[in-house]
Amino acid sequence: MRILVIEDEPVLALRLQQTLEGAGFVVDVAYDGEEGWHLGDTESYDAAVLDLGLPKIDGVTILRRWRENGRAFPVLILTARSRWSEKMAGFQAGADDYMTKPFEMDEVVYRLHALIRRTAGHAQPELTCGKLRLDTLAGRFSFDGAPLQLTAQEFRILSYLIHHAGKLVSRSELIEHVYDRHFDNDSNVLEVLIGRIRRKLGAELIHTVRGQGYRMAEDATS
């Protein structure tokens, strides 16, 4: 899953990036509102973490512009502003959740997992597909009751597919959501990793739709 962090405090931005990457996310960071708005408007993200008091363009304006342009990914606001009127302005602009500084880093991770899961239509923190299970809170897969050993890249791919089980996911969509914007789209790394995942799960869970992409089996539940 790919996250956009827009935060102008370099130390806090780095802590957020390290925490989220440690939780298995791919993270792009912007340090001002102009760059953050541009990234959110042109790249594909599963969620964004947005500060309100940003240089160049403030967070509420960024959020309003995204929503006006049809950018529907969930947005978690992080800010030192605690007055209800300021929170209300953020929600009215299209925010999905709100946290006031200071905050616990683990809570940011849990809230993002919940936002992404609910956006994909899953109410429960555990997603299953046959013998495959993802505990979204713990960030762990198991298969047939045993822990599933995955590399970070394999985890991101499998996580995106199980969140969108039953739906056709194109190659380009999968790349956009599991790699940062510098990834070489012409690389065959994705196909190699899908093959490695299949060897760990069997061939029946992830189907290749020739010329279109991949689909995880229809029986995934939440």
Side-chain angles (χ1 to χ4, degrees), residues 39-207:
L39 286 174
D41 206 49
T42 57
E43 299 286 333
S44 296
Y45 294 101
D46 295 287
V49 177
L50 175 65
D51 189 14
L52 292 184
L54 295 165
K56 298 186 179 181
I57 305 176
D58 68 90
V60 170
T61 299
I62 290 171
L63 187 48
R64 186 177 296 114
R65 288 182 182 179
W66 282 344
R67 297 316 191 210
E68 289 173 350
N69 290 345
R71 307 297 285 167
F73 53 81
V75 174
L76 169 61
I77 288 178
L78 297 180
T79 182
R81 303 176 183 180
S82 58
R83 290 186 299 179
W84 168 241
S85 60
E86 293 167 324
K87 293 181 180 181
M88 184 171 62
F91 284 122
Q92 289 175 335
D96 298 274
D97 202 354
Y98 200 113
M99 292 182 65
T100 303
K101 301 174 183 177
F103 51 82
E104 294 292 333
M105 287 290 171
D106 286 346
E107 186 177 356
V108 177
V109 173
Y110 289 144
R111 286 179 183 252
L112 285 173
H113 277 307
L115 288 173
I116 292 169
R117 186 180 72 244
R118 289 168 184 162
T119 299
H122 304 290
Q124 299 299 322
E126 286 195 350
L127 310 183
T128 62
C129 181
K131 297 179 181 179
L132 181 67
R133 174 176 295 179
L134 170 61
D135 181 339
T136 61
L137 296 181
R140 289 195 294 265
F141 273 101
S142 61
F143 185 70
D144 200 16
L148 183 62
Q149 300 302 316
L150 299 167
T151 66
Q153 291 185 11
E154 292 169 352
F155 179 90
R156 291 196 295 267
I157 291 168
L158 195 55
S159 180
Y160 192 82
L161 290 174
I162 198 171
H163 273 82
H164 299 86
K167 300 175 183 177
L168 178 64
V169 176
S170 69
R171 181 181 186 275
S172 61
E173 177 184 347
L174 193 52
I175 287 173
E176 287 172 350
H177 286 271
V178 301
Y179 293 104
D180 64 26
R181 62 188 186 279
H182 304 297
F183 181 76
D184 179 7
N185 287 0
D186 294 328
S187 167
N188 71 340
V189 169
L190 180 64
E191 286 72 21
V192 171
L193 291 171
I194 291 285
R196 282 166 43 179
I197 292 169
R198 282 189 172 127
R199 286 194 288 274
K200 296 177 180 182
L201 301 179
E204 69 277 3
L205 285 183
I206 301 175
H207 306 285

